[in-house]
């Protein structure tokens, strides 16, 4: 083997080694730029098609019941509260509510928390899902369940109901059997209409004692007068929820 041939062979080897090293370095750079695998979104069932588990701000997709909204994980700390928050108190502790997210004070800032059961709010978060479980409507957002309390004219935070993973279909919209003609004015969905009618039916029955699903309304005396009182209560409740009632 001549000296010139050895030099040529060595040169080829150096070139091949350089190509291989460059290829490995490029692959390593791509791997470093790739985000780490993240856990699946919470809640049963697949994520809505095309929706990643995390958004660009690190918020988690709540896909339970196809809710489809992003929220900061529990334990996230903020320096200040978002605009439009509302303060609440429960058991001597302060909580703040904004956009379906609950906060509690921690040091100089605030931390995202789960609200305690029994905490009463007057209005639901702007984005929520109506879920029927055991024939009862619940309102869900950010892993929190709310239930309408007619005696308190508000919604309370409740523990996850039994069979929460097996929701039932809503009852027929006309199950309350009223004489009223009802039109949604705010684009309420069929599920929301059913929930509103059910809750107003429960409230009107509690106010008047008249139950239109029972023979004679289930009350003694003049059933027509009792039904009139019930219809007026039902109408007032529905109008307050954004319906036209005739």
């Amino acid at each position: 083997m001549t000296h010139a041939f050895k030099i040529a062979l060595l040169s080829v080897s150096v070139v091949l080694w350089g190509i291989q090293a460059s290829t490995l370095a490029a692959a390593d750079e791509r791997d470093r730029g790739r985000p780490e695998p993240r856990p699946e979104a919470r809640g049963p069932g697949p994520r809505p098609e095309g929706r990643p588990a995390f958004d660009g701000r690190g918020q988690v997709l709540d896909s339970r019941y196809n809710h489809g909204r992003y929220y900061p994980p529990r334990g996230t700390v903020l320096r200040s509260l978002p605009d439009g928050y509302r303060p609440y108190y429960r058991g001597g502790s302060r909580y703040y509510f904004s956009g379906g997210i609950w906060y509690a004070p921690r040091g100089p800032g605030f931390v995202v928390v789960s609200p305690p059961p029994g905490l009463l709010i007057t209005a639901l978060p702007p984005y929520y899902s109506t879920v029927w479980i055991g024939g009862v409507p619940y309102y869900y957002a950010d892993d929190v369940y709310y239930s309408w309390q007619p005696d308190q004219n508000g919604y309370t935070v409740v523990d996850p109901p039994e069979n929460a993973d097996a929701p039932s279909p809503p009852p027929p919209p006309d199950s309350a059997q009223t004489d009223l003609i009802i039109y949604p004015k705010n684009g309420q969905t069929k599920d929301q209409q059913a929930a509103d009618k059910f809750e107003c039916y429960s409230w009107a029955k509690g106010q008047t004692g008249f139950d239109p699903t029972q023979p004679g309304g289930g009350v003694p005396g003049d059933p027509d007068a009792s039904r009139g009182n019930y219809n007026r209560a039902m109408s007032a409740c529905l109008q307050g929820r954004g319906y036209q009632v005739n």
Side-chain angles (χ1 to χ4, degrees):
M1 182 180 295
T2 66
H3 180 69
F5 181 76
K6 290 181 179 179
I7 293 176
L9 183 60
L10 179 60
S11 299
V12 172
S13 299
V14 170
V15 171
L16 292 176
W17 178 86
I19 294 173
Q20 183 179 18
S22 298
T23 303
L24 293 174
D28 183 64
E29 185 67 25
R30 287 195 300 271
D31 288 340
R32 284 200 300 267
R34 185 180 297 120
E36 291 294 326
R38 297 187 183 274
E40 291 298 315
R42 62 190 166 194
R47 298 195 302 268
E49 185 176 356
R51 301 293 297 277
F54 287 74
D55 69 0
R57 296 178 294 170
Q59 297 188 121
V60 183
L61 175 66
D62 185 350
S63 59
R64 194 176 182 87
Y65 311 118
N66 292 317
H67 184 58
R69 303 293 303 181
Y70 288 95
Y71 300 97
R74 299 292 192 270
T76 300
V77 178
L78 288 77
R79 293 183 178 180
S80 61
L81 291 168
D83 294 336
Y85 71 85
R86 302 189 66 177
Y88 291 91
Y89 295 86
R90 178 70 177 173
S93 299
R94 287 181 297 164
Y95 298 91
Y96 303 94
F97 191 46
S98 176
I101 306 167
W102 287 93
Y103 307 88
R106 173 180 290 182
F110 304 88
V111 61
V112 177
V113 298
S114 295
L119 197 157
L120 178 71
I121 61 176
T122 55
L124 290 168
Y127 302 100
Y128 63 87
S129 298
T130 303
V131 185
W132 290 84
I133 301 173
V136 177
Y138 292 87
Y139 306 95
Y140 175 89
D142 192 21
D143 207 26
V144 179
Y145 294 83
Y146 304 87
S147 177
W148 168 249
Q149 303 298 320
D151 57 329
Q152 301 182 70
N153 196 31
Y155 302 85
T156 58
V157 176
V158 296
D159 289 321
E162 294 184 7
N163 300 322
D165 291 340
S168 56
D174 296 329
S175 62
Q177 300 181 20
T178 70
D179 295 332
L180 305 175
I181 301 175
I182 303 165
Y183 300 95
K185 296 193 299 182
N186 299 328
Q188 295 93 328
T189 65
K190 290 184 178 180
D191 284 356
Q192 187 59 48
Q193 292 178 47
D196 288 337
K197 289 179 180 180
F198 180 87
E199 291 177 353
C200 286
Y201 152 74
S202 299
W203 181 80
K205 182 179 68 172
Q207 293 292 309
T208 64
F210 183 87
D211 185 352
T213 66
Q214 301 296 322
V219 294
D222 185 354
D224 292 335
S226 297
R227 173 175 283 278
N229 293 333
Y230 168 86
N231 283 347
R232 282 189 289 273
M234 184 78 172
S235 177
C237 178
L238 288 168
Q239 288 174 354
R241 290 169 178 254
Y243 294 86
Q244 177 182 338
V245 182
N246 297 327

